[in-house]
Coordinates of all heavy atoms in Angstrom, one line a residue:
S1250 N 123.9 133.9 235.7 CA 125.1 134.6 235.0 C 126.3 134.7 236.0 O 127.4 134.8 235.5 CB 124.5 136.1 234.7 OG 124.3 136.8 235.9
N1251 N 126.1 134.5 237.3 CA 127.1 134.4 238.2 C 128.0 133.1 238.0 O 129.2 133.2 238.0 CB 126.8 134.5 239.6 CG 127.9 134.7 240.6 OD1 128.9 135.2 240.3 ND2 127.5 134.3 241.9
D1252 N 127.3 132.0 237.6 CA 128.0 130.8 237.4 C 128.8 130.9 236.0 O 129.9 130.4 235.9 CB 127.0 129.6 237.2 CG 126.4 129.3 238.4 OD1 126.9 129.6 239.5 OD2 125.2 128.6 238.4
R1253 N 128.2 131.6 235.0 CA 128.9 131.9 233.7 C 130.1 132.7 234.0 O 131.1 132.5 233.4 CB 127.9 132.5 232.9 CG 128.4 132.5 231.4 CD 127.5 133.2 230.3 NE 126.3 132.3 230.3 CZ 125.1 132.7 230.0 NH1 125.0 133.9 229.7 NH2 124.2 131.9 229.9
T1254 N 130.2 133.7 234.8 CA 131.2 134.6 235.1 C 132.2 133.8 235.9 O 133.4 133.9 235.5 CB 130.6 135.8 236.1 OG1 129.7 136.5 235.3 CG2 131.9 136.7 236.3
N1255 N 131.9 133.0 236.7 CA 132.8 132.3 237.5 C 133.6 131.2 236.5 O 134.8 131.0 236.6 CB 132.2 131.4 238.7 CG 131.8 132.4 239.8 OD1 132.4 133.4 240.0 ND2 130.8 131.8 240.6
G1256 N 132.8 130.6 235.6 CA 133.4 129.8 234.6 C 134.3 130.5 233.7 O 135.4 130.0 233.5
K1257 N 134.0 131.6 233.3 CA 134.9 132.4 232.3 C 136.2 132.8 233.2 O 137.2 132.7 232.6 CB 134.2 133.7 231.9 CG 133.2 133.5 230.9 CD 132.7 134.8 230.3 CE 131.6 134.6 229.3 NZ 131.0 135.7 228.8
N1258 N 136.0 133.2 234.6 CA 137.1 133.6 235.3 C 138.1 132.4 235.5 O 139.3 132.5 235.5 CB 136.8 134.3 236.6 CG 136.1 135.6 236.5 OD1 136.4 136.2 235.5 ND2 135.3 136.0 237.4
E1259 N 137.5 131.3 235.8 CA 138.3 130.0 235.9 C 139.1 129.7 234.6 O 140.3 129.4 234.8 CB 137.3 128.9 236.3 CG 138.0 127.6 236.7 CD 137.1 126.6 237.2 OE1 136.2 126.9 238.1 OE2 137.1 125.4 236.7
K1260 N 138.4 129.8 233.4 CA 139.1 129.5 232.1 C 140.2 130.5 231.9 O 141.3 130.2 231.5 CB 138.1 129.6 231.1 CG 137.1 128.3 231.0 CD 136.3 128.6 229.8 CE 135.2 127.4 229.8 NZ 134.1 127.4 228.9
K1261 N 140.0 131.7 232.2 CA 141.0 132.8 232.1 C 142.2 132.5 233.0 O 143.5 132.6 232.6 CB 140.5 134.2 232.4 CG 139.6 134.7 231.5 CD 139.2 136.2 231.7 CE 138.2 136.8 230.8 NZ 137.8 138.1 231.2
G1262 N 141.9 132.0 234.2 CA 143.0 131.7 235.1 C 143.8 130.4 234.7 O 145.0 130.5 234.7
I1263 N 143.2 129.5 234.1 CA 143.8 128.2 233.5 C 144.7 128.7 232.4 O 145.9 128.4 232.3 CB 142.8 127.2 233.2 CG1 142.2 126.6 234.4 CG2 143.5 126.1 232.3 CD1 141.1 125.7 234.1
V1264 N 144.1 129.5 231.5 CA 145.0 130.0 230.3 C 146.2 130.8 230.8 O 147.2 130.7 230.3 CB 144.0 130.7 229.4 CG1 144.9 131.4 228.2 CG2 143.0 129.8 228.6
K1265 N 145.8 131.7 231.7 CA 147.0 132.5 232.3 C 148.2 131.6 232.8 O 149.2 131.9 232.5 CB 146.5 133.5 233.3 CG 147.5 134.5 233.7 CD 146.8 135.4 234.8 CE 146.1 136.6 234.1 NZ 145.6 137.6 235.1
K1266 N 147.8 130.7 233.6 CA 148.7 129.7 234.2 C 149.5 128.9 233.1 O 150.7 128.8 233.1 CB 148.1 128.8 235.2 CG 147.7 129.4 236.4 CD 147.0 128.5 237.4 CE 146.6 129.0 238.7 NZ 146.1 128.1 239.6
L1267 N 148.7 128.5 232.1 CA 149.4 127.8 230.9 C 150.2 128.6 230.2 O 151.4 128.4 229.9 CB 148.3 127.2 230.0 CG 148.9 126.4 228.8 CD1 149.6 125.3 229.3 CD2 147.8 126.0 227.8
R1268 N 149.9 129.9 229.9 CA 150.7 130.9 229.2 C 152.0 131.1 229.9 O 153.1 131.2 229.5 CB 150.0 132.1 228.8 CG 149.0 132.0 227.8 CD 148.4 133.3 227.5 NE 147.3 133.2 226.4 CZ 146.3 134.0 226.2 NH1 146.1 135.0 227.1 NH2 145.5 133.8 225.2
K1269 N 151.9 131.3 231.2 CA 153.0 131.6 232.1 C 154.0 130.4 232.1 O 155.1 130.6 232.0 CB 152.6 131.9 233.5 CG 153.7 132.3 234.5 CD 153.2 132.5 235.9 CE 154.2 132.9 236.8 NZ 153.8 133.2 238.1
S1270 N 153.4 129.2 232.2 CA 154.2 128.0 232.2 C 155.0 127.8 230.8 O 156.1 127.4 230.8 CB 153.5 126.7 232.6 OG 152.8 126.3 231.5
L1271 N 154.2 128.1 229.6 CA 154.9 128.1 228.4 C 155.9 129.2 228.2 O 157.0 128.9 227.6 CB 153.9 128.3 227.2 CG 152.9 127.1 227.2 CD1 151.7 127.6 226.0 CD2 153.5 125.9 226.6
L1272 N 155.7 130.4 228.8 CA 156.8 131.4 228.7 C 157.9 131.1 229.6 O 159.1 131.3 229.1 CB 156.1 132.8 229.2 CG 155.1 133.4 228.2 CD1 154.5 134.7 228.8 CD2 155.8 133.7 226.8
L1273 N 157.6 130.5 230.8 CA 158.8 130.0 231.6 C 159.6 128.9 230.9 O 160.9 129.0 231.0 CB 158.3 129.5 233.0 CG 157.9 130.7 233.9 CD1 157.2 130.0 235.2 CD2 158.9 131.6 234.2
G1274 N 159.0 128.1 230.2 CA 159.6 126.9 229.5 C 160.5 127.6 228.4 O 161.6 127.1 228.2
K1275 N 160.0 128.6 227.8 CA 160.7 129.2 226.6 C 161.9 129.9 227.2 O 162.9 129.7 226.6 CB 159.7 130.2 225.9 CG 160.4 130.8 224.7 CD 159.5 131.7 223.9 CE 160.1 132.3 222.8 NZ 159.2 133.2 222.0
K1276 N 161.8 130.7 228.2 CA 162.8 131.3 228.8 C 163.9 130.3 229.4 O 165.0 130.6 229.1 CB 162.4 132.2 230.1 CG 163.6 133.0 230.7 CD 163.1 133.8 231.9 CE 164.1 134.6 232.6 NZ 165.4 134.0 232.6
F1277 N 163.4 129.2 230.0 CA 164.3 128.2 230.5 C 165.0 127.5 229.3 O 166.3 127.4 229.4 CB 163.5 127.1 231.3 CG 164.4 126.0 231.6 CD1 165.3 126.1 232.6 CD2 164.4 124.8 230.9 CE1 166.2 125.1 233.1 CE2 165.2 123.8 231.3 CZ 166.1 123.9 232.3
S1278 N 164.4 127.3 228.3 CA 165.0 126.6 227.1 C 166.0 127.5 226.5 O 167.1 127.1 226.0 CB 164.0 126.1 226.1 OG 163.2 127.2 225.5
M1279 N 165.6 128.9 226.3 CA 166.6 129.9 225.8 C 167.9 130.0 226.6 O 169.0 130.0 226.1 CB 166.0 131.2 225.6 CG 164.8 131.1 224.5 SD 164.1 132.7 224.4 CE 165.2 133.6 223.5
D1280 N 167.7 130.1 227.9 CA 168.8 130.1 228.9 C 169.7 129.0 228.8 O 170.9 128.9 228.8 CB 168.4 130.4 230.4 CG 167.7 131.7 230.5 OD1 168.0 132.6 229.6 OD2 167.1 131.9 231.6
Y1281 N 168.9 127.7 228.8 CA 169.7 126.5 228.8 C 170.3 126.2 227.5 O 171.5 125.6 227.3 CB 168.6 125.3 229.1 CG 169.4 124.0 229.4 CD1 169.9 123.7 230.7 CD2 169.5 123.0 228.4 CE1 170.5 122.6 230.9 CE2 170.0 121.8 228.7 CZ 170.6 121.6 230.0 OH 171.2 120.4 230.2
Q1282 N 169.7 126.7 226.4 CA 170.3 126.4 225.0 C 171.5 127.1 224.9 O 172.4 126.5 224.3 CB 169.2 127.0 224.0 CG 169.5 126.7 222.6 CD 168.3 127.3 221.7 OE1 167.7 128.2 222.0 NE2 168.1 126.5 220.7
S1283 N 171.8 128.3 225.6 CA 173.1 128.9 225.3 C 174.1 128.0 226.1 O 175.3 128.1 225.6 CB 173.0 130.3 225.9 OG 172.7 130.3 227.4
E1284 N 173.7 127.2 227.0 CA 174.7 126.4 227.7 C 174.9 125.2 227.2 O 175.9 124.5 227.2 CB 174.2 126.2 229.3 CG 174.2 127.5 230.1 CD 173.6 127.2 231.4 OE1 173.6 126.2 231.8 OE2 173.2 128.3 232.0
N1285 N 173.7 124.5 226.6 CA 173.9 123.2 226.2 C 173.0 122.9 224.9 O 171.7 122.9 225.0 CB 173.3 122.4 227.3 CG 173.4 120.7 226.9 OD1 173.7 120.5 225.8 ND2 173.1 119.8 227.8
K1286 N 173.5 122.9 223.6 CA 172.7 122.9 222.4 C 171.8 121.5 222.4 O 171.0 121.4 221.5 CB 173.6 123.0 221.2 CG 174.2 124.3 221.1 CD 173.1 125.3 220.5 CE 173.7 126.7 220.2 NZ 172.8 127.7 219.9
S1287 N 172.2 120.5 223.1 CA 171.6 119.2 222.9 C 170.1 119.3 223.4 O 169.5 118.3 223.2 CB 172.3 118.1 223.7 OG 172.3 118.3 225.0
R1288 N 169.7 120.2 224.1 CA 168.3 120.3 224.7 C 167.4 121.3 223.9 O 166.8 122.1 224.5 CB 168.4 120.6 226.1 CG 167.0 120.5 226.7 CD 167.1 120.1 228.1 NE 165.8 120.3 228.7 CZ 165.4 119.7 229.8 NH1 166.2 119.0 230.3 NH2 164.2 120.0 230.2
D1289 N 167.5 121.3 222.5 CA 166.7 122.2 221.8 C 165.3 121.7 221.8 O 164.8 120.6 222.0 CB 167.2 122.1 220.3 CG 168.6 122.8 220.2 OD1 169.0 123.7 221.1 OD2 169.2 122.7 219.2
V1290 N 164.3 122.6 221.3 CA 162.9 122.2 221.1 C 162.9 121.4 219.9 O 163.6 121.7 218.9 CB 162.2 123.6 220.8 CG1 160.6 123.3 220.5 CG2 162.2 124.4 222.2
P1291 N 162.2 120.4 219.9 CA 162.0 119.5 218.7 C 161.8 120.2 217.3 O 161.0 121.3 217.5 CB 160.8 118.6 218.9 CG 160.8 118.6 220.4 CD 161.1 119.9 220.9
E1292 N 162.4 119.9 216.2 CA 162.3 120.5 215.1 C 160.8 120.8 214.5 O 160.5 121.9 213.9 CB 163.1 120.1 213.9 CG 164.5 120.2 214.1 CD 165.3 119.6 213.0 OE1 164.8 119.4 211.9 OE2 166.6 119.3 213.3
D1293 N 160.0 120.0 214.8 CA 158.6 120.0 214.4 C 157.6 121.0 215.1 O 156.5 121.1 214.7 CB 157.9 118.6 214.3 CG 157.7 117.9 215.7 OD1 158.3 118.4 216.6 OD2 156.8 117.1 215.9
V1294 N 158.2 121.5 216.3 CA 157.4 122.4 217.0 C 158.0 123.8 216.6 O 159.0 124.3 217.0 CB 157.7 122.3 218.6 CG1 156.8 123.3 219.3 CG2 157.3 120.9 218.9
K1295 N 157.2 124.5 215.7 CA 157.7 125.7 215.1 C 157.2 126.9 216.0 O 156.3 126.6 216.9 CB 157.0 125.9 213.7 CG 157.4 124.8 212.7 CD 158.9 124.8 212.4 CE 159.2 123.8 211.5 NZ 160.5 123.4 211.4
E1296 N 157.7 128.0 215.7 CA 157.3 129.3 216.6 C 155.9 129.3 216.4 O 155.2 129.3 215.3 CB 158.0 130.4 215.9 CG 157.8 131.7 216.8 CD 158.7 132.8 216.3 OE1 159.8 132.6 215.7 OE2 158.3 134.0 216.6
G1297 N 155.2 129.7 217.5 CA 153.7 129.9 217.5 C 152.9 128.7 217.6 O 151.7 128.7 217.7
H1298 N 153.7 127.6 218.0 CA 153.0 126.2 218.3 C 153.5 125.6 219.6 O 154.5 126.1 220.1 CB 153.4 125.3 217.0 CG 152.7 125.6 215.8 ND1 153.2 126.8 215.1 CD2 151.8 125.3 215.1 CE1 152.5 126.9 214.1 NE2 151.5 125.9 213.9
F1299 N 152.8 124.6 220.0 CA 153.3 123.8 221.2 C 153.0 122.4 221.1 O 152.0 122.2 220.2 CB 152.8 124.5 222.5 CG 151.3 124.5 222.7 CD1 150.7 123.5 223.4 CD2 150.6 125.5 222.0 CE1 149.4 123.7 223.7 CE2 149.1 125.6 222.1 CZ 148.6 124.5 223.0
A1300 N 153.6 121.5 221.7 CA 153.2 120.1 221.6 C 152.3 119.8 222.7 O 152.4 120.2 223.9 CB 154.5 119.3 221.7
V1301 N 151.3 118.8 222.4 CA 150.4 118.2 223.4 C 150.4 116.7 223.0 O 150.7 116.3 222.0 CB 149.1 118.8 223.2 CG1 149.1 120.3 223.6 CG2 148.4 118.6 222.0

Side-chain angles (χ1 to χ4, degrees):
S1250 65
N1251 192 23
D1252 290 341
R1253 189 177 298 155
T1254 302
N1255 288 340
K1257 285 183 181 180
N1258 289 338
E1259 187 174 309
K1260 287 178 184 178
K1261 285 181 183 179
I1263 289 171
V1264 169
K1265 189 180 281 188
K1266 287 180 182 180
L1267 178 62
R1268 285 181 180 158
K1269 183 178 178 182
S1270 74
L1271 289 171
L1272 289 174
L1273 288 174
K1275 184 176 182 178
K1276 182 184 181 321
F1277 173 78
S1278 68
M1279 290 174 75
D1280 291 345
Y1281 191 81
Q1282 194 174 30
S1283 63
E1284 297 172 19
N1285 184 354
K1286 290 282 186 188
S1287 66
R1288 185 147 170 162
D1289 291 342
V1290 174
E1292 288 183 22
D1293 64 334
V1294 181
K1295 303 296 182 198
E1296 186 173 336
H1298 292 73
F1299 62 104
V1301 298

